[in-house]
Amino acid sequence: MSSEYLPGLAGVPATQSNISYLDGEAGLLAYRGYRIEELAEKSTFEETTLLLLKGELPTSDELAEFEHLMRGNRIVKYNVREIMKNLPVTGHPMEMLQTAVASLGMFYPTEEAKYSDYKMSVKIIARMASLVTMWEHIRNGYDPLLPRKDLSYAENLLYMFSGEDPDPDVARIMDACLILHAEHTINASTFAALVAASTLASPYLVVAAAVGTLAGPLHGGANEKVVQMLQAIGKPENAKAWVENQLDNKGKIWGMGHREYSVKDPRATILQKMMMVWAEKKGSISPMFETALAVEEICEQRLAAKGIYPNVDFYSGILYKEMGIPTDQFTPLFAISRSAGWLAHWQEQLTDNRIFRPTQVYTGHTERPYMPMDKR
Ligand code: COA
């Protein structure tokens, strides 16, 4: 058995999985064998979720049944809403989401014997969008909107944010964003989900563990950081000096780099194209998008040799910003769709479970006598 310590477990296989496949040199990502480009163009979030949970593309009857189930599970109990109303509005929405999703487990208890039933996952995935959008109203002092059963997942999400009937083109873009963020092999948050799953914790706590892990800026929290960075840069002409100053001072360019990809993240390429579609619809390119393009160009000159290119978070936030979504809700949006992947991994973990219990390289003191207080 190897005892070599590899920081960040880089390159260490920690599980076997047939859910998604990534080739970081070819820039390829596929869910259950289907390329992400094709899913983003042809599938829906509901269909992709079912594909992730069950392993196969559904028939029209299976999809209709699943959509019916998802729509019927959107309402969040009043008790959870009351918990949310008591949270400080100054807190980060990811903290709210972790609290709310964990508390759902107290109101919808899961029997361990039913863990293999994919309906357990539906109860959570369907409510994730409700929790995030309800918070937007609660923190602004209003009662949250009730979900609508006549809308798709993406449409209802947009409706619950704004209270307005969603524009079909915007809903389609949101749907594609949800698909693109739904799954990504064993990243930090999925690993956290697997560790929690391996202890036989409830799926609500599995998702709560993953939400907490996604929140950090090195992972899902980067989408919020990217927009803050682009706002600080201000305009394309400032990009060169800003990036160079940042790199010269060993700072990070948010939304750049990935442990697994040494080329541009395929999701970033798709999101960039979607941003172009958005610009065509609006008839103008947003200054923030222009600034992002300038940052990418300079990073290409400075960082490409290290295999550092835009990741999924580089362009997503600009799109969400254009949709009018508050910056601190970008990572919760990521969590909404990634709940599908987390729960697919939860189910897979339980089919052949062994508790995660890695080892460590001890670097502390050898054994020593206890020192009385007056001798310290
Ligand atoms: N900006 C500037 N330099 C970066 C960078 C970035 N975004 N990402 C990596 N690097 C540099 C590091 O400084 C390091 O350089 P060095 O070898 O000269 O010291 C080298 O690239 C390797 O980086 P490291 O942090 O060890 O890679 P990792 O695989 O451990 O980390 C990330 C991967 C994603 C955490 C890292 O690329 C990062 O912090 N990116 C920004 C945050 C982000 O966008 N996260 C979302 C990921 S989807």
Side-chain angles (χ1 to χ4, degrees):
M1 202 196 303
S2 165
S3 59
E4 188 191 355
Y5 164 55
L6 295 167
L9 297 182
V12 178
T15 192
Q16 289 187 315
S17 179
N18 58 26
I19 299 172
S20 61
Y21 172 77
L22 182 168
D23 181 335
E25 285 172 21
L28 186 154
L29 173 64
Y31 301 166
R32 303 284 192 185
Y34 298 100
R35 288 282 291 257
I36 191 75
E37 290 81 1
E38 211 172 0
L39 290 173
E41 188 190 333
K42 300 177 184 164
S43 187
T44 60
F45 178 63
E46 288 88 332
E47 185 185 62
T48 298
T49 299
L50 196 47
L51 171 69
L52 290 171
L53 294 177
K54 293 262 200 172
E56 298 296 334
L57 284 173
T59 62
S60 59
D61 283 353
E62 286 165 348
L63 183 59
E65 190 192 330
F66 182 70
E67 285 178 347
H68 181 73
L69 196 62
M70 287 275 271
R71 288 171 195 226
N73 271 285
R74 285 179 183 160
I75 290 197
V76 171
K77 277 189 201 284
Y78 130 90
N79 318 56
V80 177
R81 197 173 64 202
E82 291 305 301
I83 292 172
M84 290 167 70
K85 280 185 181 169
N86 282 291
L87 296 174
V89 297
T90 48
H92 195 281
M94 284 298 274
E95 293 169 324
M96 174 289 300
L97 186 60
Q98 191 183 43
T99 308
V101 85
S103 70
L104 278 182
M106 300 184 78
F107 297 102
Y108 304 93
T110 315
E111 292 166 42
E112 219 179 280
K114 290 192 184 156
Y115 275 5
S116 59
D117 184 347
Y118 83 107
K119 289 181 185 149
M120 292 295 124
S121 299
V122 170
K123 281 182 191 296
I124 301 175
I125 300 165
R127 289 185 175 84
M128 290 289 281
S130 305
L131 294 174
V132 171
T133 52
M134 282 165 65
W135 180 243
E136 198 47 44
H137 298 279
I138 290 173
R139 72 171 169 176
N140 284 303
Y142 297 102
D143 277 331
L145 301 177
L146 283 175
R148 275 172 51 182
K149 278 191 180 176
D150 60 319
L151 300 175
S152 73
Y153 197 97
E155 289 167 346
N156 179 61
L157 194 166
L158 289 167
Y159 161 74
M160 286 187 75
F161 256 128
S162 69
E164 288 163 18
D165 280 345
D167 175 318
D169 293 340
V170 177
R172 182 60 208 134
I173 290 175
M174 176 56 82
D175 205 20
C177 288
L178 292 172
I179 293 168
L180 291 176
H181 287 84
E183 161 63 12
H184 202 229
T185 75
I186 185 174
N187 49 76
S189 59
T190 302
F191 186 42
L194 289 183
V195 173
S198 80
T199 70
L200 305 184
S202 86
Y204 297 91
L205 296 176
V206 165
V207 172
V211 167
T213 312
L214 186 73
L218 295 187
H219 191 10
N223 55 13
E224 185 179 336
K225 286 277 189 192
V226 169
V227 164
Q228 289 166 352
M229 172 183 81
L230 295 173
Q231 282 168 335
I233 296 173
K235 50 185 179 179
E237 301 83 69
N238 296 346
K240 190 171 188 318
W242 197 95
V243 168
E244 290 190 337
N245 180 49
Q246 193 76 351
L247 293 178
D248 291 346
N249 289 295
K250 299 235 165 283
K252 282 206 187 290
I253 311 300
W254 299 104
M256 290 280 161
H258 200 280
R259 172 71 60 77
E260 292 297 313
Y261 293 111
S262 53
V263 295
K264 189 165 173 175
D265 183 330
R267 300 165 300 172
T269 306
I270 302 170
L271 286 160
Q272 188 178 350
K273 282 188 192 145
M274 281 161 54
M275 196 57 224
M276 289 307 295
V277 172
W278 180 281
E280 271 165 38
K281 182 177 159 68
K282 293 279 159 191
S284 64
I285 295 188
S286 81
M288 189 178 278
F289 184 42
E290 283 187 324
T291 307
L293 292 171
V295 170
E296 180 179 352
E297 201 181 314
I298 295 142
C299 286
E300 170 109 38
Q301 294 157 19
R302 287 285 305 253
L303 295 171
K306 283 187 179 179
I308 296 169
Y309 290 92
N311 60 49
V312 67
D313 297 311
F314 194 70
Y315 287 108
S316 61
I318 311 171
L319 258 176
Y320 299 149
K321 195 88 195 151
E322 288 281 304
M323 290 180 190
I325 293 167
T327 311
D328 63 357
Q329 289 279 31
F330 296 172
T331 317
L333 258 182
F334 191 159
I336 290 173
S337 53
R338 185 54 60 83
S339 65
W342 291 331
L343 288 159
H345 281 274
W346 167 64
Q347 290 179 3
E348 186 176 62
Q349 178 65 29
L350 296 186
T351 58
D352 186 19
N353 187 47
R354 191 170 187 203
I355 190 167
F356 277 94
R357 203 327 178 174
T359 185
Q360 64 170 14
V361 177
Y362 180 63
T363 60
H365 291 281
T366 50
E367 203 175 322
R368 50 188 177 154
Y370 181 79
M371 190 71 71
M373 188 67 81
D374 60 353
K375 299 255 163 38
R376 290 177 210 169

